[in-house]
Amino acid sequence: CDCNGTECASGWSGTYCDVRCIKHGHTEGKVCVCDTGYSTADCSVLCPDCSGHGTCFDNSFHDGTCVCDQDWYDPNCKTRCVVSECFVGASPAARAQCNATTGQCECQFDAIAGYWGGDQC
């Protein structure tokens, strides 16, 4: 390997040409270019199904996770949450938020928005 050069041998990638790139990608220079739907430096991670409500972060510079569309949450973008629909009948609904990980309605709890609690926030 000419590790100081600009290219790795076919099937290898990385700064020192020490990362395998054979199953779901091909080498261009020192980068393993992933096939569509695969990610990580060696293109070994298959993107999950983002349920039609998100996009997988694929390619060798991403980790293969879903980036959900607005109002969709959880690792596979299956859970819909709209703040205005949280705690129906509560006033004001502005004290509610959607949990960024689970998509469940919850009360705001931070120094900027305030610390709210209770059944209806």
Side-chain angles (χ1 to χ4, degrees):
C1 163
D2 176 14
C3 295
N4 293 324
T6 58
E7 292 192 22
C8 295
S10 180
W12 293 93
S13 63
T15 303
Y16 301 103
C17 301
D18 58 349
V19 177
R20 295 290 284 161
C21 177
I22 53 174
K23 288 189 177 184
H24 303 288
H26 64 277
T27 305
E28 287 185 14
K30 290 191 170 193
V31 176
C32 187
V33 178
C34 300
D35 297 337
T36 300
Y38 286 87
S39 61
T40 66
D42 65 355
C43 301
S44 64
V45 175
L46 176 63
C47 285
D49 174 12
C50 298
S51 307
H53 302 293
T55 304
C56 178
F57 254 22
D58 63 355
N59 79 36
S60 57
F61 301 106
H62 294 106
D63 61 3
T65 55
C66 292
V67 176
C68 299
D69 297 337
Q70 183 176 338
D71 299 331
W72 292 92
Y73 298 86
D74 80 29
N76 296 93
C77 307
K78 290 184 195 176
T79 304
R80 184 172 182 267
C81 179
V82 179
V83 172
S84 63
E85 297 173 4
C86 290
F87 310 117
V88 176
S91 179
R95 296 179 183 156
Q97 67 185 19
C98 298
N99 180 288
T101 303
T102 66
Q104 300 301 309
C105 292
E106 64 185 15
C107 298
Q108 293 175 344
F109 196 81
D110 64 60
I112 296 170
Y115 297 94
W116 301 95
D119 291 344
Q120 300 284 318
C121 300

